Amino acid sequence: MTGTDENELLDAKQIHEEFGLSPSRLSELYRDREVTLCPEPDEVKGRQRRWKRGTIRPFLVSYRKAKTAQPSVRHTLLTGPRDRLMSTSDVSKALGHKRTVTLHGWLQNRPAYFPEPDVVETTEGGRLRRFWHLGTVLDWIDQRPGPGNTQSKARTQAAAPVEDGEPEELLDTKQAAPMLGYSSHLELNRAIARGILPELARPDEVVRSERGLTSNRYKRRRVVALARARQQAPTSSELSKHRLEAAAQALREAADPAAVTVEVLAEAHPGHGSATAWKKAIDEALRAIQEG
């Protein structure tokens, strides 16, 4: 499960942010829907198509399961000694990309997603040439998160932590993801960044690696409370009513209305909606109080 409201309409960009499916791939799946079984959009306005979360999510789950079940066929470039150097072009072709733009995008925009090159050379013209050992690429493919990894997830997937563990124990997103119904920590991180899970916008601890990369940690009790709330989420109309009531009560009790934030309300009422939904509730409650 991803978002809380199954009836929320998502466009291609939102589907990409929440589920990791690119708009171009979504268009292909819809174009070939007689074969892919991609569902019809729940709303069409002009050229924009939008699907309810409850429509697109089950389809993507089944689509990815079917894709994962397909046997792995490796490119001929992925054979040979592990210390053989591969250029950017070689790596891109081996991963099924016609151009190098995707690989360059990973290196620039998604730190730590793809390994840094093993060898970097500078040409006389000042251009950088990057090379990876074949073994580096093979290891990444075997551990790659998401549908790109055709290996069984049972070997690498971290087991979901038990709910009766130490409540104050700190969990990273790899441990929290399966508890919250996400297939990988990358999907969970995207949901947090997009405001789908405002309950986790503020981590209990931030750990910085030797390479300067940060990793958020959350107390087990917070993750467990959110997981249970998401499993028992009422209808969207009931959630909207609960958010408005909670926002109004918090505003009336607060010495400073500015202290009533999305994060504060979301943490106090886990599983009640996205950051956008909470912001709307706060604004509506504030208007009602001012007018009353």
Side-chain angles (χ1 to χ4, degrees), residues 11-28:
D11 58 23
K13 181 180 179 182
Q14 292 170 315
I15 290 173
H16 172 59
E17 292 173 344
E18 184 165 339
F19 298 102
L21 184 76
S22 70
S24 60
R25 183 56 182 152
L26 177 60
S27 295
E28 292 175 356

Side-chain angles (χ1 to χ4, degrees), residues 168-218:
E168 299 302 306
E169 179 188 0
L170 292 171
L171 308 178
D172 60 24
T173 53
K174 288 184 179 179
Q175 295 170 299
M179 288 185 71
L180 297 172
Y182 289 87
S183 62
S184 74
H185 68 289
L186 295 176
E187 283 193 1
L188 175 57
N189 286 332
R190 277 196 295 266
I192 296 172
R194 185 171 171 252
I196 294 172
L197 297 178
E199 301 90 341
L200 302 182
R202 300 189 298 187
D204 292 295
E205 184 176 311
V206 178
V207 177
R208 185 178 296 275
S209 70
E210 295 180 355
R211 299 177 60 187
L213 302 176
T214 59
S215 176
N216 294 337
R217 300 288 192 273
Y218 302 92

Side-chain angles (χ1 to χ4, degrees), residues 47-118:
R47 298 181 61 183
Q48 185 185 55
R49 304 184 187 97
R50 298 204 298 172
W51 286 262
K52 290 181 180 179
R53 181 177 285 110
T55 299
I56 195 66
R57 178 182 56 79
F59 163 70
L60 291 178
V61 169
S62 60
Y63 165 73
R64 284 172 168 166
K65 282 184 178 179
K67 185 175 179 181
T68 302
Q70 295 175 354
S72 175
V73 178
R74 291 197 165 175
H75 197 283
T76 54
L77 286 170
L78 296 175
T79 59
R82 288 178 58 86
D83 60 353
R84 176 170 65 82
L85 288 176
M86 302 177 65
S87 66
T88 304
S89 178
D90 289 339
V91 174
S92 297
K93 291 178 182 177
L95 296 178
H97 303 291
K98 295 181 180 179
R99 298 185 298 169
T100 60
V101 62
T102 299
L103 181 54
H104 284 304
W106 290 345
L107 295 173
Q108 294 174 10
N109 304 321
R110 302 180 65 179
Y113 177 70
F114 193 77
E116 292 294 322
D118 296 297

